[in-house]
Amino acid sequence: MDDLRNYIGGQFVAHSSSQWLDNLEPATGSHICRVPLSDASDIDAAVAAARAAQPAWGALSHSERADWLDRIADALEARYEEVATLESRDTGKPITLARAVDAHRSVSNFRFFAGMLREQEHEVFEMASATNYVINKPVGVGALITPWNLPLYLLSWKVAPAIGMGNTVVCKPSELTPLTADLLMRVIDEVGLPAGVVNLVHGDGAGAGAPLVAHSDVDLVSFTGGTATGEKVAASAAPAFKKLSLELGGKNSSIVFADCDMESTVAGVVRAGFLNQGQVCLCGSRVLVEDSAYDEFRDRFVEAVEAMRIGDPSDEATDLGALISESHLAKVQGYVELAKREGGALLTGGSPCLPSGFEGGNWMAPTVIEGLSPDSRCATEEIFGPVVTIHPFSSEDEAVAIANNTRYGLAGSVWTSDLDKGRRVSEAIDTGMVWVNTWLHRDLRVPFGGVKDSGVGREGGKWSLDFFSEAMNVCVKHD
């Protein structure tokens, strides 16, 4: 594959520095392409292009901008298999997951927000002597920064509502997974979206991300990524009073009660723990099981984990692929070693696994650990890999206390045949979202985001439209 280029002002352009990063395939370690390591001068050019394009773009009607979102969706849908193939190769995830999640959602996000734009109506509040109109105006230029685990899924999740509400944007995708961001720019170029509405600058956090967030002509920042980086983003953006949305890390609990449907619960909790090799901020990496059902659940859970097929991401039968990078694999391995020092017992996994023909990749066997204190580091810190800890509890109160005993508050799941109990326990958890008897069952209309160190703000549905706009009140006094 050729060297990638930035997309600025409707043109694919070379970056200003001579620095490059090799993009390596997670499953094999082989070279895919070179990624520009852009710097502040590239950011300046992209922000200037976005600023110049914003007035004309913002002046279009909601329906006109919705039509553009539909054109992008149509073009992405025509490249459905290409999206899935690129995403699987770039991230190491199974092709079946890339089709069902990444390719599907990248199209759905543009279609969904196109529909929302067409349905949006100004709010009107009548008074005895006046009428108040509430209109939503564009914020201006947005900085959209996305992670490596769900590259196009999350980029489209931000781009669609941001430009739909009349903003122009500069995107900074993860330098580890640039392929589908480049594809989206090719699609945008192909459909003829006005120049400067969407711009993309490749690079790392220090060289491109930091100057983008700090840029004086950027009005809002939407960031999805790790909590440590989110702290730096907030520290940079807040003093300039930029609108800020941070979707950060998670250490989520799957709470299993003895009255659950055991078969469906085991399958659901396995999926919650290991989807995308555990590299999803919503993954249920701490499994809490009512003590009377602990032994049965543990044994069936481990059996199901060991039945997962690890191997070639392009194979339709593969359940688990490779981790994103060699350094991330080392981090996950480090947590397994820490778990042993903390007194944990490995029930399965715990070491790298190398499928035949993929010895150069970043492979980790799915790992289940018991015997750890709920207060241990491995039970409370985000590992972001195929590592799950399992803990018994004896009461609802204890389950909630364990679930809340972490700096994070993003998601969780509750598994029980008593739906009143399921809702009661869910509402007691300090988190942004909870599923009962399911996991990652997403409705695009609902709010997405967390509390505590899992972030600030909400996106999704009308919350995205609100974030990517400024509400303005116009009060007209009657004659």
Side-chain angles (χ1 to χ4, degrees):
M1 180 174 285
D2 295 335
D3 295 340
L4 299 183
R5 292 181 294 167
N6 295 331
Y7 186 71
I8 297 175
Q11 300 289 328
F12 287 96
V13 296
H15 64 303
S16 58
S17 82
S18 60
Q19 301 300 308
W20 296 86
L21 178 71
D22 288 327
N23 182 26
L24 304 181
E25 188 172 0
T28 64
S30 62
H31 181 271
I32 300 176
C33 64
R34 291 199 306 173
V35 184
L37 285 177
S38 304
D39 60 24
S41 61
D42 301 298
I43 294 296
D44 287 343
V47 172
R51 179 59 66 191
Q54 197 284 316
W57 178 253
L60 297 180
S61 67
H62 284 170
S63 63
E64 288 174 313
R65 293 195 294 265
D67 288 344
W68 280 110
L69 298 189
D70 275 334
R71 292 186 191 110
I72 296 171
D74 290 343
L76 276 177
E77 191 167 39
R79 294 171 176 257
Y80 199 91
E81 191 62 23
E82 183 182 1
V83 171
T85 300
L86 288 177
E87 209 71 294
S88 176
R89 188 181 183 200
D90 215 14
T91 65
K93 69 182 60 172
I95 185 67
T96 51
L97 180 64
R99 283 196 196 104
V101 175
D102 301 85
H104 174 73
R105 273 294 300 272
S106 66
V107 175
S108 296
N109 285 337
F110 282 102
R111 290 212 196 289
F112 170 77
F113 284 109
M116 284 210 74
L117 286 173
R118 294 189 179 98
E119 295 171 0
Q120 192 177 44
E121 297 179 356
H122 296 314
E123 291 184 288
V124 178
F125 300 95
E126 296 289 353
M127 302 170 65
S129 59
T131 298
N132 288 278
Y133 301 91
V134 179
I135 60 174
N136 292 90
K137 302 176 68 174
V139 183
V141 174
L144 311 182
I145 302 176
T146 48
W148 47 258
N149 61 330
L150 297 164
L152 190 55
Y153 178 128
L154 292 172
L155 184 58
S156 59
W157 173 248
K158 298 178 186 296
V159 169
I163 67 173
M165 293 306 290
N167 307 284
T168 53
V169 298
V170 178
C171 308
K172 208 298 281 183
S174 170
E175 65 274 22
L176 299 180
T177 53
L179 296 185
T180 51
D182 177 73
L183 182 146
L184 178 60
M185 296 307 106
R186 287 186 276 124
V187 163
I188 282 172
D189 195 65
E190 174 186 300
V191 301
L193 188 73
V197 173
V198 175
N199 307 273
L200 182 141
V201 177
H202 292 287
D204 60 16
L212 176 58
V213 170
H215 201 287
S216 60
D217 226 10
V218 165
D219 303 298
L220 68 85
V221 178
S222 176
F223 171 87
T224 300
T227 298
T229 305
E231 292 174 357
K232 297 176 183 178
V233 170
S236 175
F241 304 105
K242 298 177 182 182
K243 292 196 78 172
L244 185 62
S245 174
L246 300 174
E247 197 278 288
L248 308 176
K251 187 68 174 180
N252 314 298
S253 294
S254 299
I255 302 176
V256 178
F257 285 96
D259 62 359
C260 71
D261 179 285
M262 188 62 69
E263 182 175 356
S264 63
T265 296
V266 168
V269 175
V270 168
R271 178 172 175 264
F274 296 101
L275 186 79
N276 199 29
Q277 299 75 251
Q279 298 172 134
V280 178
C281 57
L282 303 170
C283 274
S285 55
R286 350 165 56 206
V287 179
L288 316 182
V289 186
E290 192 167 9
D291 47 17
S292 61
Y294 183 86
D295 289 346
E296 179 188 1
F297 178 88
R298 176 199 60 202
D299 295 346
R300 293 178 66 167
F301 182 73
V302 170
E303 181 181 6
V305 170
E306 292 178 339
M308 287 191 293
R309 292 156 296 191
I310 308 168
D312 185 352
S314 67
D315 190 329
E316 301 281 341
T318 295
D319 297 312
L320 292 177
L323 300 191
I324 187 65
S325 67
E326 185 177 3
S327 62
H328 190 60
L329 172 60
K331 172 194 170 183
V332 174
Q333 288 180 261
Y335 269 104
V336 173
E337 294 305 311
L338 174 62
K340 295 176 184 177
R341 297 195 298 271
E342 291 182 321
L346 292 177
L347 299 180
T348 189
S351 60
C353 59
L354 299 172
S356 177
F358 293 86
E359 288 77 10
N362 314 307
W363 298 89
M364 181 76 183
T367 302
V368 182
I369 305 170
E370 74 170 348
L372 287 172
S373 165
D375 299 331
S376 66
R377 286 182 58 195
C378 285
T380 56
E381 296 180 8
E382 185 178 41
I383 299 173
F384 215 64
V387 179
V388 164
T389 63
I390 185 167
H391 311 269
F393 68 85
S394 59
S395 67
E396 288 184 31
D397 288 344
E398 185 182 14
V400 170
I402 295 172
N404 287 339
N405 184 31
T406 162
R407 61 189 284 212
Y408 300 103
L410 184 57
S413 62
V414 179
W415 304 80
T416 175
S417 61
D418 183 343
L419 298 186
D420 289 335
K421 177 168 63 178
R423 182 165 181 172
R424 181 171 65 245
V425 171
S426 297
E427 292 179 358
I429 302 173
D430 298 329
T431 190
M433 61 201 95
V434 184
W435 290 277
V436 178
N437 295 330
T438 187
W439 177 78
L440 202 56
H441 198 67
R442 289 283 296 140
D443 185 324
L444 299 185
R445 297 170 296 180
V446 303
F448 184 99
V451 300
K452 299 191 286 189
D453 284 10
S454 287
V456 175
R458 294 292 182 273
E459 294 185 27
K462 71 181 185 66
W463 289 269
S464 285
L465 301 188
D466 288 344
F467 172 70
F468 288 112
S469 64
E470 293 287 9
M472 176 182 179
N473 177 51
V474 177
C475 181
V476 179
K477 189 176 184 302
H478 300 156
D479 293 334

